[in-house]
Amino acid sequence: PAQGGTQPAPFAPGRPGGLEETAPNEYATGVVIDRQGYILTNYHVLGNPSENDYRIWIQRRPFTAIGVQKAEHVAAGDPWTDLAVLKVEATDLEPIPFGDTKDLRKGQFVIALGNPYGIAKDGQVSASWGIISNLGRPLPTAGAGSDPAKDSLYQYGGLIQTDVRLNLGTSGGALVNLKGEIIGLTTALAASEGYERSLGFAIPVNDVFLRTIETLKTGHKAEFGFLGVSPENLSDAMRRAGQHGAVLVHVVSGTPAFAAGLKEGDIVT
Protein backbone atom coordinates (compact mmCIF):
# COMPACT_ATOMS: atom_id res chain seq x y z
CA PRO A 1 0.00 0.00 0.00
CA ALA A 2 0.92 3.60 -0.49
CA GLN A 3 0.27 6.52 1.79
CA GLY A 4 -0.21 10.11 0.73
CA GLY A 5 -1.91 13.43 1.32
CA THR A 6 -3.15 16.55 -0.40
CA GLN A 7 -1.07 19.48 0.84
CA PRO A 8 1.45 20.95 -1.66
CA ALA A 9 4.20 21.62 0.92
CA PRO A 10 7.74 20.37 0.15
CA PHE A 11 8.80 17.08 1.67
CA ALA A 12 12.05 15.30 2.48
CA PRO A 13 11.41 11.82 3.91
CA GLY A 14 15.07 10.89 3.71
CA ARG A 15 16.21 13.49 6.26
CA PRO A 16 15.93 12.92 10.00
CA GLY A 17 12.78 14.65 11.14
CA GLY A 18 11.82 15.49 7.58
CA LEU A 19 8.67 13.40 7.60
CA GLU A 20 7.35 14.80 10.83
CA GLU A 21 8.00 18.39 9.84
CA THR A 22 6.93 18.39 6.20
CA ALA A 23 4.36 15.62 5.73
CA PRO A 24 0.89 16.74 4.62
CA ASN A 25 -1.65 17.45 7.34
CA GLU A 26 -4.38 15.91 5.18
CA TYR A 27 -3.80 12.24 4.60
CA ALA A 28 -5.27 9.05 3.24
CA THR A 29 -4.10 5.69 1.93
CA GLY A 30 -3.57 4.14 -1.49
CA VAL A 31 -2.73 0.76 -2.99
CA VAL A 32 -0.06 -0.08 -5.57
CA ILE A 33 -1.85 -1.92 -8.39
CA ASP A 34 0.77 -1.90 -11.14
CA ARG A 35 4.58 -2.04 -11.37
CA GLN A 36 4.46 1.04 -13.60
CA GLY A 37 3.44 3.35 -10.75
CA TYR A 38 -0.36 3.23 -10.67
CA ILE A 39 -1.82 3.95 -7.21
CA LEU A 40 -5.49 3.22 -6.43
CA THR A 41 -7.39 5.20 -3.78
CA ASN A 42 -10.84 6.59 -2.99
CA TYR A 43 -11.96 9.50 -5.15
CA HIS A 44 -13.44 11.34 -2.17
CA VAL A 45 -10.09 11.61 -0.37
CA LEU A 46 -8.57 13.72 -3.17
CA GLY A 47 -10.52 16.87 -2.36
CA ASN A 48 -10.53 19.14 -5.40
CA PRO A 49 -8.02 17.55 -7.81
CA SER A 50 -7.66 20.74 -9.83
CA GLU A 51 -6.33 22.58 -6.75
CA ASN A 52 -4.23 19.94 -4.99
CA ASP A 53 -0.92 18.20 -5.41
CA TYR A 54 -0.40 14.71 -3.99
CA ARG A 55 2.66 13.42 -2.13
CA ILE A 56 3.04 9.65 -1.91
CA TRP A 57 5.44 7.54 0.16
CA ILE A 58 6.06 3.88 -0.68
CA GLN A 59 8.49 2.01 1.59
CA ARG A 60 10.27 5.28 2.47
CA ARG A 61 10.48 6.33 -1.19
CA PRO A 62 8.92 9.74 -1.93
CA PHE A 63 6.88 10.40 -5.07
CA THR A 64 4.78 13.26 -6.37
CA ALA A 65 1.60 12.98 -8.42
CA ILE A 66 -0.41 15.91 -9.77
CA GLY A 67 -4.17 16.36 -9.37
CA VAL A 68 -6.53 14.13 -11.33
CA GLN A 69 -6.76 15.11 -15.03
CA LYS A 70 -4.24 17.90 -14.37
CA ALA A 71 -1.20 16.20 -15.94
CA GLU A 72 -0.09 12.98 -17.53
CA HIS A 73 1.14 11.66 -14.18
CA VAL A 74 -2.44 10.95 -13.13
CA ALA A 75 -4.96 8.72 -14.83
CA ALA A 76 -8.51 9.60 -13.72
CA GLY A 77 -11.05 9.61 -10.92
CA ASP A 78 -14.71 8.65 -10.81
CA PRO A 79 -17.03 9.87 -8.01
CA TRP A 80 -19.77 7.37 -8.97
CA THR A 81 -17.59 4.37 -8.03
CA ASP A 82 -15.53 6.47 -5.55
CA LEU A 83 -12.32 5.21 -7.17
CA ALA A 84 -9.32 7.16 -8.44
CA VAL A 85 -5.98 6.19 -9.95
CA LEU A 86 -2.86 8.31 -9.64
CA LYS A 87 0.44 7.62 -11.36
CA VAL A 88 3.95 8.15 -10.07
CA GLU A 89 7.26 7.86 -11.88
CA ALA A 90 8.27 4.29 -11.07
CA THR A 91 8.74 1.00 -12.90
CA ASP A 92 9.66 -1.36 -10.08
CA LEU A 93 6.77 -1.20 -7.60
CA GLU A 94 5.33 -4.42 -6.20
CA PRO A 95 1.56 -4.52 -6.90
CA ILE A 96 -0.86 -6.14 -4.51
CA PRO A 97 -2.54 -9.35 -5.77
CA PHE A 98 -6.32 -9.30 -6.24
CA GLY A 99 -8.52 -11.81 -4.44
CA ASP A 100 -11.84 -13.38 -5.43
CA THR A 101 -14.81 -11.79 -3.65
CA LYS A 102 -17.10 -14.61 -4.78
CA ASP A 103 -15.58 -16.65 -1.97
CA LEU A 104 -16.24 -14.11 0.81
CA ARG A 105 -18.30 -15.23 3.79
CA LYS A 106 -19.60 -13.61 6.96
CA GLY A 107 -17.18 -14.20 9.83
CA GLN A 108 -14.12 -14.44 7.57
CA PHE A 109 -11.00 -12.85 9.06
CA VAL A 110 -9.63 -9.81 7.22
CA ILE A 111 -6.82 -7.29 7.72
CA ALA A 112 -7.00 -3.58 6.92
CA LEU A 113 -3.79 -1.83 5.81
CA GLY A 114 -3.65 1.93 6.01
CA ASN A 115 -2.34 5.23 7.28
CA PRO A 116 -4.36 5.99 10.45
CA TYR A 117 -4.04 9.63 11.50
CA GLY A 118 -1.14 10.02 9.06
CA ILE A 119 1.10 7.88 11.28
CA ALA A 120 2.51 5.94 8.30
CA LYS A 121 4.31 9.00 6.93
CA ASP A 122 7.28 6.91 5.90
CA GLY A 123 5.23 4.60 3.68
CA GLN A 124 5.35 1.78 6.22
CA VAL A 125 1.75 0.61 6.36
CA SER A 126 -0.13 -0.01 9.62
CA ALA A 127 -2.45 -2.99 10.08
CA SER A 128 -5.61 -3.80 12.02
CA TRP A 129 -7.77 -6.92 11.93
CA GLY A 130 -11.34 -8.10 12.26
CA ILE A 131 -13.99 -10.08 10.43
CA ILE A 132 -16.45 -9.57 7.58
CA SER A 133 -19.69 -8.62 9.31
CA ASN A 134 -21.92 -8.60 6.25
CA LEU A 135 -21.94 -8.34 2.46
CA GLY A 136 -23.84 -6.23 -0.05
CA ARG A 137 -24.42 -3.36 2.38
CA PRO A 138 -25.46 0.18 1.37
CA LEU A 139 -23.84 3.31 2.76
CA PRO A 140 -25.11 4.01 6.28
CA THR A 141 -27.35 7.00 6.92
CA ALA A 142 -25.21 9.87 8.17
CA GLY A 143 -25.67 13.46 9.22
CA ALA A 144 -25.70 16.26 6.67
CA GLY A 145 -22.29 16.85 5.15
CA SER A 146 -20.61 14.05 7.09
CA ASP A 147 -20.37 11.53 4.28
CA PRO A 148 -18.08 12.57 1.39
CA ALA A 149 -19.01 9.48 -0.66
CA LYS A 150 -22.80 9.76 -0.26
CA ASP A 151 -23.41 10.30 -3.99
CA SER A 152 -21.54 7.17 -5.05
CA LEU A 153 -22.89 3.93 -6.49
CA TYR A 154 -22.70 2.38 -3.02
CA GLN A 155 -25.62 4.34 -1.59
CA TYR A 156 -27.62 1.53 -3.24
CA GLY A 157 -25.65 -1.32 -1.68
CA GLY A 158 -22.75 -3.58 -2.54
CA LEU A 159 -20.23 -2.75 0.20
CA ILE A 160 -18.37 -5.14 2.48
CA GLN A 161 -19.18 -4.41 6.13
CA THR A 162 -16.40 -5.15 8.60
CA ASP A 163 -15.73 -4.68 12.30
CA VAL A 164 -12.09 -3.76 11.60
CA ARG A 165 -11.28 -0.46 13.32
CA LEU A 166 -10.89 2.00 10.46
CA ASN A 167 -9.48 5.23 11.83
CA LEU A 168 -9.32 8.50 9.93
CA GLY A 169 -6.69 8.21 7.22
CA THR A 170 -7.36 4.59 6.27
CA SER A 171 -9.73 5.51 3.43
CA GLY A 172 -8.34 4.12 0.17
CA GLY A 173 -6.40 1.34 1.89
CA ALA A 174 -6.48 -2.37 1.21
CA LEU A 175 -8.76 -4.81 2.99
CA VAL A 176 -6.97 -8.13 2.52
CA ASN A 177 -7.68 -11.78 3.20
CA LEU A 178 -5.27 -14.05 5.05
CA LYS A 179 -3.52 -14.85 1.76
CA GLY A 180 -2.49 -11.20 1.44
CA GLU A 181 -4.86 -10.59 -1.48
CA ILE A 182 -6.91 -7.40 -1.65
CA ILE A 183 -10.62 -8.14 -1.46
CA GLY A 184 -11.84 -4.59 -0.77
CA LEU A 185 -10.84 -0.91 -0.75
CA THR A 186 -11.69 0.60 2.63
CA THR A 187 -13.74 3.78 2.84
CA ALA A 188 -13.71 4.28 6.66
CA LEU A 189 -17.20 5.75 6.50
CA ALA A 190 -17.94 4.93 10.12
CA ALA A 191 -15.39 7.54 11.19
CA SER A 192 -17.13 10.39 9.37
CA GLU A 193 -18.95 11.63 12.47
CA GLY A 194 -15.70 12.55 14.19
CA TYR A 195 -15.02 9.40 16.18
CA GLU A 196 -14.26 5.78 15.39
CA ARG A 197 -16.40 2.72 16.01
CA SER A 198 -15.99 -0.94 15.15
CA LEU A 199 -18.00 -0.47 11.99
CA GLY A 200 -16.44 0.12 8.61
CA PHE A 201 -17.07 -0.46 4.93
CA ALA A 202 -15.03 -1.44 1.89
CA ILE A 203 -15.67 -1.45 -1.86
CA PRO A 204 -15.48 -5.08 -2.98
CA VAL A 205 -12.95 -6.19 -5.58
CA ASN A 206 -15.51 -7.56 -8.03
CA ASP A 207 -15.84 -7.46 -11.83
CA VAL A 208 -17.15 -3.88 -11.80
CA PHE A 209 -14.25 -2.79 -9.59
CA LEU A 210 -11.62 -4.41 -11.83
CA ARG A 211 -13.14 -3.03 -15.05
CA THR A 212 -13.34 0.43 -13.52
CA ILE A 213 -9.69 0.65 -12.49
CA GLU A 214 -8.55 -0.59 -15.91
CA THR A 215 -10.62 2.19 -17.48
CA LEU A 216 -9.28 4.79 -15.05
CA LYS A 217 -5.70 3.77 -15.88
CA THR A 218 -6.37 4.85 -19.49
CA GLY A 219 -7.46 8.31 -18.32
CA HIS A 220 -11.22 7.87 -18.75
CA LYS A 221 -14.17 7.52 -16.40
CA ALA A 222 -16.06 4.26 -16.36
CA GLU A 223 -19.42 4.26 -18.13
CA PHE A 224 -22.59 2.87 -16.59
CA GLY A 225 -26.14 2.48 -17.78
CA PHE A 226 -28.63 4.48 -15.73
CA LEU A 227 -32.36 3.91 -16.14
CA GLY A 228 -33.47 6.54 -13.63
CA VAL A 229 -36.13 4.79 -11.54
CA SER A 230 -36.57 3.51 -7.99
CA PRO A 231 -38.62 0.28 -8.07
CA GLU A 232 -40.29 -1.61 -5.23
CA ASN A 233 -41.99 -4.97 -4.98
CA LEU A 234 -45.75 -5.04 -5.48
CA SER A 235 -47.92 -5.09 -2.39
CA ASP A 236 -49.64 -8.32 -1.33
CA ALA A 237 -52.98 -6.90 -2.43
CA MET A 238 -51.69 -6.08 -5.92
CA ARG A 239 -50.25 -9.58 -6.31
CA ARG A 240 -53.51 -11.17 -5.14
CA ALA A 241 -55.27 -9.10 -7.80
CA GLY A 242 -53.16 -10.83 -10.45
CA GLN A 243 -50.59 -8.08 -11.06
CA HIS A 244 -46.90 -8.87 -11.37
CA GLY A 245 -43.71 -6.86 -11.83
CA ALA A 246 -42.31 -3.88 -9.89
CA VAL A 247 -43.97 -0.57 -9.05
CA LEU A 248 -42.04 2.66 -9.63
CA VAL A 249 -41.92 4.86 -6.55
CA HIS A 250 -39.70 7.53 -8.13
CA VAL A 251 -38.64 8.59 -11.64
CA VAL A 252 -35.63 10.91 -11.96
CA SER A 253 -36.09 13.89 -14.27
CA GLY A 254 -33.88 14.02 -17.34
CA THR A 255 -33.10 10.29 -17.39
CA PRO A 256 -33.97 7.72 -20.09
CA ALA A 257 -36.92 6.50 -18.00
CA PHE A 258 -38.29 10.04 -17.77
CA ALA A 259 -37.82 10.57 -21.52
CA ALA A 260 -39.64 7.31 -22.25
CA GLY A 261 -42.68 8.52 -20.32
CA LEU A 262 -42.44 6.35 -17.23
CA LYS A 263 -44.19 7.83 -14.19
CA GLU A 264 -44.43 7.19 -10.47
CA GLY A 265 -46.94 4.43 -9.83
CA ASP A 266 -46.30 2.62 -13.13
CA ILE A 267 -45.85 -1.14 -12.93
CA VAL A 268 -42.94 -2.51 -14.96
CA THR A 269 -43.30 -6.14 -16.00
Side-chain angles (χ1 to χ4, degrees):
Q3 287 76 45
T6 58
Q7 292 292 336
F11 64 99
R15 294 203 308 265
L19 281 169
E20 197 66 37
E21 296 170 6
T22 63
N25 57 23
E26 294 187 27
Y27 44 84
T29 310
V31 181
V32 176
I33 57 170
D34 191 288
R35 292 187 64 84
Q36 304 305 311
Y38 287 100
I39 311 297
L40 176 69
T41 189
N42 285 137
Y43 180 82
H44 76 260
V45 305
L46 298 180
N48 186 341
S50 65
E51 298 178 356
N52 293 316
D53 291 343
Y54 303 95
R55 314 298 191 192
I56 299 169
W57 290 267
I58 306 173
Q59 298 296 319
R60 297 188 177 275
R61 295 171 60 187
F63 297 93
T64 299
I66 302 175
V68 171
Q69 298 176 353
K70 191 175 174 183
E72 70 278 3
H73 297 86
V74 174
D78 178 38
W80 180 239
T81 56
D82 197 26
L83 298 175
V85 173
L86 302 107
K87 190 175 189 307
V88 299
E89 294 295 336
T91 58
D92 60 348
L93 301 182
E94 187 65 33
I96 195 167
F98 292 103
D100 188 353
T101 56
K102 297 183 181 68
D103 296 330
L104 298 184
R105 298 292 184 271
K106 293 181 187 178
Q108 178 177 336
F109 283 99
V110 289
I111 298 171
L113 304 177
N115 180 27
Y117 299 109
I119 197 171
K121 298 185 180 76
D122 57 356
Q124 298 287 337
V125 67
S126 298
S128 58
W129 68 277
I131 64 169
I132 292 176
S133 303
N134 217 326
L135 299 166
R137 309 304 288 173
L139 292 180
T141 302
S146 63
D147 183 0
K150 64 182 176 61
D151 294 325
S152 76
L153 171 68
Y154 303 103
Q155 61 188 302
Y156 302 108
L159 293 173
I160 299 169
Q161 179 186 338
T162 176
D163 69 352
V164 176
R165 192 175 182 86
L166 299 177
N167 300 76
L168 295 172
T170 53
S171 291
L175 187 71
V176 302
N177 59 23
L178 297 186
K179 297 178 181 179
E181 300 167 334
I182 181 173
I183 49 92
L185 193 76
T186 59
T187 60
L189 291 167
S192 61
E193 296 179 15
Y195 61 93
E196 284 67 50
R197 296 170 291 178
S198 293
L199 173 66
F201 298 88
I203 301 170
V205 178
N206 53 24
D207 291 342
V208 172
F209 181 99
L210 295 174
R211 286 198 305 269
T212 299
I213 62 175
E214 288 302 315
T215 302
L216 294 177
K217 284 167 65 176
T218 67
H220 299 90
K221 287 185 179 180
E223 294 184 354
F224 296 89
F226 186 68
L227 181 59
V229 300
S230 296
E232 284 187 357
N233 293 330
L234 299 181
S235 66
D236 290 341
M238 297 171 77
R239 290 199 298 271
R240 285 195 297 267
Q243 295 178 307
H244 60 94
V247 61
L248 303 184
V249 295
H250 182 61
V251 178
V252 181
S253 298
T255 62
F258 181 86
L262 292 179
K263 301 182 295 297
E264 293 181 13
D266 283 352
I267 297 176
V268 181
T269 60

